[in-house]
Amino acid sequence: DAARPHHAGSVVDARPHRWRYAQPRSLREGAVCLVDAAAPVVLAGELFAGARVEGAYTSGLTASRAVLECLV
């Protein structure tokens, strides 16, 4: 129910899973890292936006927006 506002589809299956390796030693500033190249290359994940699933989600969402901006 909490994810409903963030996606248009319906959830058909859900399984909780602890992100064992989502514990970066240090965080980077900003939600993503956009590499200036011929094609958009975006690095994203919990390293950039916080070592929790929320950080990974926020970073992925920001990455998708950055790619879309490069393509327009």
Side-chain angles (χ1 to χ4, degrees):
D1 287 339
R4 191 177 318 269
H6 303 288
H7 64 85
S10 60
V11 176
V12 295
D13 186 31
R15 298 175 193 187
H17 177 74
R18 186 181 188 294
W19 289 43
R20 181 186 319 182
Y21 301 107
Q23 299 175 2
R25 292 183 183 161
S26 62
L27 298 177
R28 303 293 181 204
E29 190 173 320
V32 298
C33 175
L34 180 60
V35 177
D36 188 20
V41 176
V42 181
L43 305 177
E46 62 275 357
L47 171 67
F48 297 98
R52 300 187 61 164
V53 68
E54 297 88 348
Y57 174 84
T58 299
S59 184
L61 187 61
T62 304
S64 67
R65 289 177 179 156
V67 169
L68 287 173
E69 286 180 21
C70 289
L71 298 176
V72 174

